[in-house]
Amino acid sequence: MAITIRDVAEAAGVSTATVSRALRGLPNVDPATRDRIATVASKLDYVISPSASRLASGRTGSIAVITPFISRWFFATVLSGVESVLQAAGMDLLLMSVTDAASGHHRLPPAPRLRRRVDGVLIIAMSPSDPQLRDVLNLGMPTSMIGVNVGGVPSVMIDDVAAARIATQHLINLGHTRIGMIGGSPAELPFTAEFDRENGFRQAMEESGLETTPMLEAFGYFTIQGGEQAMTALLTQKNPPTAVFAMSDEMAFGALRSLRNHGLKPGVDISVVGVDGHDMSEHLELTTVVQPVFDLGRIAAEALLVQLRTLPQDVNLEPTRVPTQLVVRSSTAPLRTV
Amino acid sequence: MAITIRDVAEAAGVSTATVSRALRGLPNVDPATRDRIATVASKLDYVISPSASRLASGRTGSIAVITPFISRWFFATVLSGVESVLQAAGMDLLLMSVTDAASGHHRLPPAPRLRRRVDGVLIIAMSPSDPQLRDVLNLGMPTSMIGVNVGGVPSVMIDDVAAARIATQHLINLGHTRIGMIGGSPAELPFTAEFDRENGFRQAMEESGLETTPMLEAFGYFTIQGGEQAMTALLTQKNPPTAVFAMSDEMAFGALRSLRNHGLKPGVDISVVGVDGHDMSEHLELTTVVQPVFDLGRIAAEALLVQLRTLPQDVNLEPTRVPTQLVVRSSTAPLRTV
DNA sequence: TTGTAAGCGTTATCAG
DNA sequence: CTGATAACGCTTACAA
């Protein structure tokens, strides 16, 4: 029913092999022949059958993107960067979410769905200790990761330790000494970012001879709501912090909300700093360590494409670090010495 | 190199045809045979080759999702709903963005990339007058749309006219008479939502005998920044509005910011209402008409799946309308009669 | 530079 | 219920 390569070949008076070569831009095709084939093909409105092409060549021309969340700002923005590169490269982007989300649907493990289906995998911020991650990596296919650091797999990320240190140091420089932290979740399957940012926080505190105590640490699960609850927990301590480092902007947003609910003013009564550079952070006057999220996706996708055309032993296994920048806004201010 | 259906067939002592039937759960296979095949297949760690299966069957098992944006809240949330359904159905989700975005990459038109590649198409909020939309629809493949109304194609959306009316009426009920509107963009390629929400706004105003004037209408391009600029434009009128209807929450966020920059208090000096039910709207105390965004995606995806298993003439071509709800917060309040 | 022809791994038709 | 076998539409040595 549909036009096939044979129709084009006949109409152009050549063999299917020549059509195949011509249309794919391979060398060793007479320019005149190539032109004629191109003309005929477009006149017949011919489009190649991906299935047939894939079966014959063994290449799928598709990349799977695996992410724990789709709609959260960070993930959606990374995805956007990935998509822009893959589209330009003519690659299909297969989107797969892991984790049950709010959907109620039971989610299948990703690894089995990858085999023989894609040429490479791009993983966004899964926990290095997630068994599903292991399964995917064990597939042994070209892989590129964003914001997750496991040995021997190419990845792109910010220096999370440094980011946390910069944020914390900023608070210290402002004269704060009782500094709280809003983290992700109690251990379990920590993201690389979670792990590193906690370390950065502790390092900065320690270097300044400041004390860190579990009393001043709360978990916000990387959500606005969670951040709000975490801040509320910190506020209801007998001796609340005067400044708080939140591991993500969204948790910081929640923290700001908690402050307002308690009649406190960010930057006046309590300082709050986040990490991300979320679209809304400027709007909410949140001081934050900005990371180039779109670029994270872009760079990881490009690295994966390079990998697909490179010998395995030439692949760069060192994490690619992209720079961050502290943006100071009114949510942080010098400690008021009453 | 990889295990094929033939390997399984030999190991199980049956023909490839039987393996194919057994593994796909087709009827007319002896239960014992089926079990044996299943065992052998998993022992050999056999996975079907999608390319071969697609070529032979003519079905791709994939759905393309076409969207103008990926990272914006509405689109990312819809996408999330779509993904949850497609994943549960075992369908591959091909993500394609249209519009040049901030990427700088030139984007290919989607239609040619769809042919022979997917079983159906899901379109998120493109403009009905976008030529790229026409091209996609002309492909004649099963299609389901979200938030766009063109005749003869299944779609899911809220009643945008009603949503705008409810929002506007809310302002009117509060005693406001000088009511401004922040819309998307000046004509060009209006989204369905844009068009309908403008109508809803005008209807509500008219029915209450209130005047609408171009002086009180500004464009925010559905972004935070745009909303801020639009509100600023409205504020610098000789006779500014006392209340504003913004067509989206993100534009309303920008409007709130503009108010703050001008030393005005939302709900006190000027009331602002949005449409969306954005995650941040609660946080910012924005009154808004909440739409079930995740469900929009879910429902559209389910409708598409049904369509794939239904005769064309049995497809429901009437837009499916999902309900909305006005949520009142402190950004709107009764007109202060000085 | 071009053509021939053997796959690629399933599915689906038709017998049996 | 099961088996042969002909597609499916393209790619890719290998020849010419």
Side-chain angles (χ1 to χ4, degrees):
Chain A
M1 39 174 275
I3 307 290
T4 74
I5 197 174
R6 190 144 35 203
D7 299 317
V8 177
E10 283 172 11
V14 295
S15 72
T16 61
T18 302
V19 174
S20 177
R21 286 187 285 251
L23 258 26
R24 282 183 297 151
L26 295 189
N28 298 330
V29 177
D30 186 284
T33 309
R34 191 190 298 275
D35 282 353
R36 183 155 40 90
I37 291 175
T39 307
V40 170
S42 82
K43 188 168 305 170
L44 292 179
D45 198 24
Y46 168 72
V47 292
I48 205 171
S49 159
S51 319
S53 171
R54 288 167 185 183
L55 179 57
S57 72
R59 279 170 258 107
T60 67
S62 354
I63 300 292
V65 176
I66 301 181
T67 176
F69 307 101
I70 292 174
S71 57
R72 290 194 192 173
W73 177 81
F74 176 85
F75 299 87
T77 304
V78 167
L79 181 58
S80 178
V82 169
E83 194 275 345
S84 75
V85 170
L86 293 188
Q87 173 156 155
M91 286 273 175
D92 283 351
L93 156 24
L94 257 65
L95 180 60
M96 289 184 196
S97 175
V98 287
T99 69
D100 295 78
S103 70
H105 283 298
H106 179 65
R107 293 196 170 281
L108 306 167
R113 302 206 51 194
L114 258 23
R115 299 176 54 187
R116 312 188 102 183
R117 189 169 300 255
V118 296
D119 297 337
V121 183
L122 213 147
I123 297 170
I124 308 179
M126 289 179 73
S127 166
S129 44
D130 188 328
Q132 292 195 336
L133 210 211
R134 290 285 155 206
D135 291 344
V136 172
L137 295 181
N138 283 337
L139 259 29
M141 54 175 80
T143 303
S144 180
M145 306 192 300
I146 296 161
V148 24
N149 189 5
V150 314
V153 183
S155 63
V156 187
M157 62 185 83
I158 61 171
D159 184 335
D160 284 291
V161 175
R165 288 176 59 127
I166 288 169
T168 308
Q169 190 61 49
H170 168 63
L171 298 176
I172 296 172
N173 292 346
L174 290 172
H176 295 278
T177 56
R178 281 193 66 77
I179 301 177
M181 181 188 85
I182 299 181
S185 52
E188 300 184 46
L189 297 179
F191 296 134
T192 297
E194 205 168 347
F195 187 80
D196 286 352
R197 289 176 197 175
E198 174 163 348
N199 280 339
F201 171 74
R202 296 199 190 293
Q203 284 180 23
M205 293 294 279
E206 221 165 81
E207 286 170 14
S208 295
L210 296 177
E211 191 188 355
T212 62
T213 149
M215 301 301 294
L216 292 186
E217 290 166 16
F219 299 108
Y221 304 91
F222 286 100
T223 66
I224 299 177
Q225 277 234 336
E228 181 175 354
Q229 291 166 356
M231 179 56 108
T232 299
L234 294 179
L235 287 178
T236 51
Q237 301 274 314
K238 58 243 126 210
N239 195 357
T242 64
V244 170
F245 163 62
M247 280 191 189
S248 82
D249 278 2
E250 271 158 316
M251 292 194 290
F253 296 159
L256 295 181
R257 181 178 172 78
S258 170
L259 289 188
R260 192 180 52 197
N261 289 345
H262 287 79
L264 300 172
K265 289 225 177 314
V268 178
D269 301 303
I270 292 192
S271 286
V272 176
V273 60
V275 178
D276 266 351
H278 190 293
D279 283 350
M280 296 292 297
S281 65
E282 178 182 1
H283 187 269
L284 293 170
E285 292 293 350
L286 176 71
T287 295
T288 186
V289 180
V290 177
Q291 57 175 327
V293 183
F294 184 91
D295 288 339
L296 247 25
R298 211 176 38 67
I299 294 167
E302 278 162 357
L304 185 54
L305 292 180
V306 168
Q307 216 181 123
L308 292 176
R309 296 166 170 75
T310 305
L311 295 105
Q313 56 267 34
D314 293 334
V315 172
N316 174 21
L317 298 181
E318 284 307 297
T320 302
R321 300 284 181 178
V322 298
T324 57
Q325 191 185 1
L326 177 71
V327 173
V328 179
R329 302 205 181 88
S330 69
S331 74
T332 52
L335 176 67
R336 288 193 305 172
T337 49
V338 195
Chain B
M1 40 174 274
I3 306 290
T4 74
I5 198 174
R6 189 143 34 204
D7 299 318
V8 178
E10 282 171 11
V14 295
S15 71
T16 60
T18 301
V19 174
S20 178
R21 286 189 286 252
L23 258 26
R24 283 183 296 153
L26 295 189
N28 299 329
V29 177
D30 186 284
T33 310
R34 192 190 297 277
D35 282 354
R36 183 156 38 89
I37 291 174
T39 308
V40 169
S42 82
K43 188 169 304 169
L44 292 180
D45 198 23
Y46 168 72
V47 292
I48 205 171
S49 159
S51 318
S53 172
R54 289 168 185 182
L55 178 58
S57 72
R59 278 170 259 107
T60 66
S62 359
I63 300 292
V65 176
I66 302 181
T67 176
F69 306 101
I70 291 174
S71 58
R72 289 194 191 171
W73 177 81
F74 175 85
F75 299 88
T77 304
V78 167
L79 182 58
S80 179
V82 169
E83 194 275 345
S84 75
V85 171
L86 294 188
Q87 173 155 155
M91 286 274 174
D92 283 352
L93 157 23
L94 256 67
L95 181 59
M96 290 184 196
S97 176
V98 287
T99 68
D100 296 78
S103 71
H105 282 300
H106 179 65
R107 293 196 171 282
L108 306 168
R113 300 206 52 194
L114 258 23
R115 300 175 54 186
R116 313 186 104 184
R117 189 169 301 256
V118 295
D119 297 336
V121 183
L122 213 147
I123 297 171
I124 309 180
M126 288 179 73
S127 166
S129 43
D130 188 327
Q132 293 194 335
L133 211 211
R134 290 286 154 204
D135 291 344
V136 171
L137 295 181
N138 283 337
L139 260 28
M141 53 175 81
T143 304
S144 180
M145 306 193 299
I146 295 161
V148 25
N149 189 5
V150 313
V153 184
S155 62
V156 188
M157 63 185 84
I158 62 171
D159 185 336
D160 284 292
V161 175
R165 289 176 58 127
I166 289 169
T168 308
Q169 190 61 50
H170 169 63
L171 297 176
I172 295 173
N173 292 345
L174 291 171
H176 294 279
T177 55
R178 282 192 65 77
I179 302 177
M181 181 187 85
I182 299 181
S185 53
E188 298 185 47
L189 297 179
F191 295 134
T192 297
E194 207 167 346
F195 187 80
D196 287 352
R197 288 175 197 175
E198 175 162 347
N199 280 339
F201 171 73
R202 296 200 190 291
Q203 283 178 22
M205 292 295 277
E206 222 164 80
E207 286 169 13
S208 294
L210 297 177
E211 192 188 354
T212 62
T213 149
M215 301 302 294
L216 292 184
E217 291 165 16
F219 299 107
Y221 305 90
F222 286 99
T223 67
I224 300 177
Q225 277 233 338
E228 181 174 353
Q229 290 165 356
M231 179 55 110
T232 300
L234 293 180
L235 288 178
T236 51
Q237 302 275 314
K238 59 242 123 208
N239 195 357
T242 64
V244 170
F245 163 63
M247 280 192 190
S248 82
D249 278 3
E250 271 158 317
M251 291 194 290
F253 296 160
L256 295 181
R257 182 178 172 77
S258 170
L259 289 187
R260 192 181 53 198
N261 288 346
H262 287 79
L264 300 172
K265 289 224 178 313
V268 178
D269 301 303
I270 292 193
S271 286
V272 176
V273 59
V275 178
D276 267 351
H278 190 293
D279 284 349
M280 296 294 296
S281 65
E282 179 183 0
H283 187 268
L284 293 171
E285 292 293 351
L286 176 71
T287 295
T288 186
V289 180
V290 177
Q291 57 175 329
V293 184
F294 184 91
D295 289 338
L296 248 26
R298 211 176 37 67
I299 294 168
E302 278 163 358
L304 185 54
L305 292 179
V306 168
Q307 215 180 125
L308 292 176
R309 295 166 172 74
T310 306
L311 296 105
Q313 56 269 34
D314 293 335
V315 171
N316 174 21
L317 298 182
E318 284 307 296
T320 302
R321 301 283 182 179
V322 299
T324 57
Q325 193 184 0
L326 177 71
V327 173
V328 178
R329 303 205 181 89
S330 68
S331 74
T332 54
L335 176 66
R336 287 193 305 173
T337 49
V338 193

